[in-house]
Amino acid sequence: MNYFAQRPNQNLHAFAFTQPHAGHSRLPYQPMVVWMTGISASGKSTIADALDVALQAQGRLTCILDGDSVRGGLCRDLGFTDSDRDENIRRVAEVARLMLEAGLSVIVALISPSSASRHYARSIIGNEYFVEVHVDAPLETAELRDPKGLYKKARLGLIKHFTGIDSNYDVPVFPEVRVDTQALSVEQSVQTILDWVARNHART
Ligand code: ADP
């Protein structure tokens, strides 16, 4: 099934609400969705956590949508086939958009391996709010870190469709930000993202 296909329903009529973005104009900052993509153990959750602290210190209201947490609830019916991964991303993007509309700055930490699905997430959220961050680490480095022991299991064939092993990761070509977590500390990666936000995403 192609989850990205439009499935129009002629009986749906979206109500024209008076203030669809009620929270936005009153906020001292522009809400955004920082979408962290990268292979497992590249550092997405670790950097998301530190970025969350930093953004809250700036006075932003924030929320983290982390892959494993989402898969324990909102997406617990989904597996790791290509179509399930796409549906996982679609749901997270839709939830992120709702949070964005409520005025939150949302941090998404999701492998999101296909460029098509990331592109789709961008289209749901809106280009002006979407900050794609490639949390980059060589596969060998991620595999050495392996904080959850997943690479080990994947190499033993105990996990199928594991990104980087027997499932593809499309390296982002033009992400808004790229952080090389082999070269940068967690603090340096967070600062790189904050600098980009300050330069490009200040209150309009
Ligand atoms: P992901 O969410 O991408 O799967 P995690 O954040 O869960 O990755 O795990 C990354 C692991 O790598 C953590 O154990 C973290 O402490 C470690 N690590 C080591 N150096 C770095 C770094 N420079 N940036 C981010 N994580 C790092």
Side-chain angles (χ1 to χ4, degrees):
M1 186 186 298
N2 178 5
Y3 283 100
F4 297 160
Q6 296 290 327
R7 279 176 281 176
N9 182 331
Q10 292 180 341
N11 296 320
L12 294 179
H13 301 280
F15 188 85
F17 291 103
T18 307
Q19 294 197 102
H21 297 272
H24 279 198
S25 58
R26 277 178 268 137
L27 294 171
Y29 52 82
Q30 191 184 357
M32 61 186 175
V33 175
V34 178
W35 190 284
M36 300 209 186
T37 170
I39 60 174
S40 183
S42 60
K44 299 180 297 299
S45 300
T46 304
I47 293 168
D49 183 39
L51 179 66
D52 184 52
V53 172
L55 290 176
Q56 286 207 20
Q58 291 183 352
R60 285 178 182 262
L61 292 174
T62 63
C63 181
I64 300 177
L65 292 171
D66 186 76
D68 281 3
S69 312
V70 167
R71 282 188 171 277
L74 177 70
C75 300
R76 70 178 170 202
D77 55 320
L78 300 174
F80 288 88
T81 61
D82 286 348
S83 61
D84 275 5
R85 281 171 183 263
D86 288 346
E87 174 60 7
N88 187 45
I89 287 163
R90 189 192 69 78
R91 287 186 201 173
V92 170
E94 291 285 1
V95 170
R97 184 176 67 147
L98 293 173
M99 290 176 162
L100 179 84
E101 287 178 1
L104 297 178
S105 295
V106 187
I107 303 168
V108 175
L110 212 60
I111 296 174
S112 31
S114 89
S115 55
S117 62
R118 296 192 298 264
H119 186 76
Y120 186 64
R122 185 185 289 270
S123 75
I124 289 172
I125 287 157
N127 195 42
E128 65 273 41
Y129 301 112
F130 194 82
V131 184
E132 184 175 339
V133 176
H134 180 203
V135 181
D136 193 11
L139 180 64
E140 308 78 60
T141 303
E143 200 164 351
L144 277 175
R145 291 177 182 163
D146 205 12
K148 302 172 208 157
L150 299 178
Y151 282 100
K152 201 171 173 192
K153 284 188 185 167
R155 290 288 184 197
L156 291 169
L158 301 174
I159 305 176
K160 299 287 179 205
H161 309 297
F162 196 76
T163 306
I165 307 293
D166 59 350
S167 188
N168 192 43
Y169 179 77
D170 294 338
V171 174
V173 182
F174 295 116
E176 274 73 16
V177 186
R178 179 179 162 275
V179 288
D180 175 355
T181 67
Q182 194 179 35
L184 301 179
S185 68
V186 174
E187 293 71 26
Q188 288 172 324
S189 290
V190 168
Q191 195 57 52
T192 303
I193 299 166
L194 291 176
D195 288 349
W196 190 93
V197 169
R199 277 199 309 275
N200 298 281
H201 215 79
R203 175 83 261 173
T204 48

